[in-house]
Amino acid sequence: MADAKQLEKEALQRLADAKRQKSHVDTDLREAYYFTAPRRSRDVTSSSSGADSKPNDAGDLQISLGMEVAQDFATEMLNTFMPETIRWADQKAGVDVDEDAADDLNDRIGGQTKVIFDAIKSSNFYSAAAQSFMPDLATGTSALWIDDLRATEPFMCLPVPLRELEINVGPYGEVDDRFVVRHTRYRHLPALLKGVALPTDIQDKIDKKGGDRCIVTWGWWRLWDRNDDVYWQAIVMVGNRLVDDAVLKGEGACPLLVARFNPDPMFAFGDGPSLQSLPELRMLDEMSALEIEAFDFRVHKPFFYPDDGVINLENGIEPGMGYKARPWTGAGRPFELMDFGDGTNVEEYKIAKVESRIRRLFFVDYPEQAGKTPPTAEQWMDEMQRAKRRIGTPGKIFFKEGPAEVFKRFKHLLEERGTIEPVKINGKTIALTPYDPTEQAQEFQETQIAGRLLQIGQANFPQIMQAVVDPIKTLNNFKRKFRDEIVVVREEKEIAGAINQLAPLLGGGAGGGGMPPTGGAQA
């Protein structure tokens, strides 16, 4: 029991440290929600249930651009780093495996990877990721809980809102301590804590006071003193009482995945586009409010009317209102409209510049046609590739903490179910190497350069190109760069037979000359 008390004390201390981390950014998070999700409760601290917290100033918001770009950013991140149509992570043998042995493992590795992605697609991962990313990833931090809740059904993915999430950095600048703090009622504990033997007094509250509120906390942190594998300490608390604990082993063992965009190694939360663009969002909101006010004055102009008193504007001017002034000369003019000028063109230009800046900060400044002449397809592709490279730099940590960990988590769950077996060599499990889709921008440029080089060689040295360039190896290199799984290149021993079969059709005669078989001279 002493160990349980010590673990309980450590969990409460780590949770308190994580809450202090959020206290440094909670004001910015609330303001980011104000612009990107105004109907969401902007109480981002787990100390409050948020049940009675309603945004009381959502009606003051003048713009919807924040909501639009946050959705576009979530879509862009999902399609860039985890597109449904391609495999966005891969595995290969570790550096200590020789090349021949690694080649023998390719089929096994490819088969396992296919099963993992089939499990991802059959689960609710993409819908849950969309909920988690919008709008939390735009703030810089999002969380997803992936677990095996029912043995006969697909794995379950649950988005964790920032209000329930408490995190802290570990000794190496990565997210280590992570907690989910949920406000619920005692009657929901049996569903939330299946298989947990609850203390008698808590069970009595479930039976007799099920409607009362309580707090459930799940927590995980790395055990760095164990170096033979990856170990996680897992705990469950009701209120401040520890009710369950376990040690989880292996990569992907932790069910709570926290992905950050543009993080600081000294701070737990990422610095996403919503936080970075707060000055521009404030400016645009204020400019839009002033534009509406100015338009109101232009349509409902205030006016003067003659009176024995003097004009008094110390309380300001309202559109459509009349203000008394000393009588003036001029028959037929009982009223005089106030004229404030018209700066519409200047205002629209300034607003367009601010909007463009916000879209760039959210990485959704798609290529636009600047002049009357449409851009060529090559120019358009260059612009798109440049945008991909720009999002790839701050997104590298996101891919490591998000998509790569999702892949590892599904792999771990499938191994626990016995659906797949770990691929090993000499008793060692192979290393996982995630593939970052943003690298495809660079690889696309490499293929363009290679294609251009082949064109130059064919145009200037057509007689010796076949002797200089190995077509089969070159084609295989293109396949790898394009991540192609459709085009099938024959084995070298099959190519010679295929060439001999095609020789009559190509003018070489049946089994005669024409095209020499690959890898040797013609007999």
Side-chain angles (χ1 to χ4, degrees):
M1 192 63 179
D3 292 339
K5 286 295 183 183
Q6 184 64 30
L7 184 59
E8 179 181 278
K9 181 180 179 181
E10 181 181 358
L12 292 173
Q13 181 187 28
R14 288 177 180 268
L15 178 59
D17 292 341
K19 289 183 176 181
R20 277 192 291 272
Q21 280 275 306
K22 186 186 281 185
S23 67
H24 296 295
V25 74
D26 61 350
T27 302
D28 290 339
L29 291 176
R30 286 196 296 269
E31 189 175 9
Y33 275 161
Y34 174 70
F35 289 111
T36 60
R39 290 186 180 275
R40 179 176 292 200
S41 170
R42 287 186 298 281
D43 187 357
V44 298
T45 63
S46 62
S47 301
S48 173
S49 66
D52 302 322
S53 177
K54 297 180 180 180
N56 55 8
D57 57 351
D60 298 336
L61 185 62
Q62 305 295 328
I63 59 173
S64 62
L65 182 62
M67 294 174 254
E68 176 187 338
V69 293
Q71 292 173 351
D72 289 344
F73 178 72
T75 302
E76 190 71 16
M77 292 295 288
L78 198 60
N79 290 337
T80 298
F81 291 94
M82 293 177 286
E84 294 187 60
T85 56
I86 69 171
R87 294 183 183 179
W88 35 262
D90 205 351
Q91 302 178 99
K92 70 176 183 180
V95 295
D96 56 338
V97 179
D98 61 81
E99 187 174 344
D100 293 336
D103 291 339
D104 293 338
L105 289 174
N106 284 339
D107 290 340
R108 294 168 59 194
I109 295 172
Q112 187 189 80
T113 302
K114 182 181 183 302
V115 173
I116 294 171
F117 275 101
D118 287 344
I120 292 175
K121 290 180 180 180
S122 65
S123 72
N124 66 327
F125 168 73
Y126 283 101
S127 60
Q131 285 183 295
S132 177
F133 289 2
M134 173 57 206
D136 288 349
L137 186 56
T139 67
T141 309
S142 65
L144 202 62
W145 188 331
I146 304 177
D147 219 337
D148 189 0
L149 301 181
R150 304 173 185 88
T152 59
E153 297 182 11
F155 301 126
M156 182 65 67
C157 305
L158 305 172
V160 178
L162 283 182
R163 184 178 58 81
E164 294 185 347
L165 181 68
E166 302 291 351
I167 56 176
N168 201 357
V169 292
Y172 300 108
E174 300 177 347
V175 176
D176 189 350
D177 305 349
R178 51 194 73 187
F179 297 88
V180 175
V181 182
R182 181 162 301 169
H183 292 254
T184 183
R185 300 186 187 276
Y186 279 102
R187 61 170 172 260
H188 297 313
L189 291 184
L192 292 174
L193 305 179
K194 288 184 177 180
V196 176
L198 296 173
T200 304
D201 56 336
I202 295 179
Q203 188 62 51
D204 288 343
K205 289 185 178 181
I206 294 173
D207 298 334
K208 300 177 182 178
K209 299 181 179 180
D212 289 359
R213 288 192 171 274
C214 63
I215 300 176
V216 181
T217 302
W218 295 266
W220 301 267
W221 60 85
R222 278 286 300 271
L223 298 176
W224 294 104
D225 58 335
R226 305 183 66 172
N227 300 323
D228 57 308
D229 206 332
V230 177
Y231 291 92
W232 290 86
Q233 176 65 61
I235 58 97
V236 181
M237 293 190 298
V238 176
N240 291 333
R241 292 183 58 185
L242 181 70
V243 296
D244 193 29
D245 67 274
V247 174
L248 310 178
K249 177 184 177 182
E251 282 192 326
C254 181
L256 181 61
L257 311 182
V258 181
R260 300 174 298 167
F261 186 84
N262 194 29
D264 184 336
M266 301 297 294
F267 190 64
F269 290 85
D271 190 15
S274 292
L275 303 188
Q276 292 181 329
S277 63
L278 283 178
E280 283 79 10
L281 288 169
R282 295 188 202 108
M283 183 187 305
L284 182 62
D285 188 64
E286 184 65 23
M287 291 173 67
S288 299
L290 292 174
E291 184 185 31
I292 294 172
E293 183 180 355
F295 185 77
D296 196 7
F297 272 96
R298 289 194 294 270
V299 175
H300 306 103
K301 292 184 178 180
F303 57 91
F304 297 116
Y305 63 90
D307 191 83
D308 292 337
V310 295
I311 187 171
N312 183 2
L313 304 177
E314 65 179 8
N315 293 323
I317 302 174
E318 297 181 13
M321 300 299 293
Y323 298 90
K324 57 187 177 182
R326 289 185 181 278
W328 54 83
T329 59
R333 293 173 55 195
F335 302 101
E336 188 73 26
L337 295 175
M338 298 184 188
D339 189 3
F340 299 93
D342 188 356
T344 304
N345 293 335
V346 177
E347 293 168 2
E348 290 180 354
Y349 173 72
K350 291 181 178 178
I351 288 177
K353 287 188 66 175
V354 177
E355 287 184 352
S356 177
R357 175 65 178 164
I358 292 173
R359 293 184 185 278
R360 179 171 176 80
L361 287 169
F362 276 85
F363 300 93
V364 293
D365 52 333
Y366 305 115
E368 296 181 359
Q369 181 176 331
K372 294 183 179 181
T373 304
T376 65
E378 186 175 351
Q379 290 173 331
W380 187 267
M381 286 300 297
D382 287 344
E383 289 291 329
M384 291 299 293
Q385 294 304 322
R386 189 177 297 112
K388 292 291 186 182
R389 287 196 297 269
R390 194 164 60 86
I391 199 174
T393 300
K396 287 187 179 297
I397 298 298
F398 165 77
F399 183 82
K400 180 177 180 294
E401 295 181 345
E405 290 299 323
V406 169
F407 185 88
K408 294 178 184 178
R409 178 60 180 164
F410 274 88
K411 179 182 178 181
H412 178 84
L413 292 176
L414 288 169
E415 288 177 352
E416 282 194 331
R417 278 192 178 185
T419 306
I420 61 176
E421 294 290 335
V423 179
K424 298 181 179 181
I425 272 192
N426 298 327
K428 294 183 179 180
T429 303
I430 63 170
L432 171 70
T433 302
Y435 160 63
D436 186 343
T438 57
E439 296 174 7
Q440 200 167 19
Q442 179 64 33
E443 294 179 350
F444 178 79
Q445 186 176 3
E446 291 177 8
T447 58
Q448 286 183 317
I449 295 173
R452 181 59 179 157
L453 183 62
L454 291 174
Q455 290 176 359
I456 293 174
Q458 187 64 35
N460 293 279
F461 318 107
Q463 298 85 358
I464 64 171
M465 275 297 291
Q466 281 190 329
V468 172
V469 178
D470 188 321
I472 306 305
K473 291 183 178 179
T474 301
L475 183 58
N476 281 324
N477 287 337
F478 273 106
K479 277 177 56 65
R480 280 193 293 269
K481 291 296 182 181
F482 285 131
R483 296 305 195 273
D484 173 67
E485 298 180 0
I486 299 175
V487 177
V488 178
V489 179
R490 298 178 187 269
E491 296 292 335
E492 187 171 340
K493 61 183 180 180
E494 298 176 344
I495 295 175
I499 290 177
N500 287 331
Q501 291 178 2
L502 293 174
L505 301 177
L506 298 176
M515 299 178 65
T518 302
Q522 181 180 352

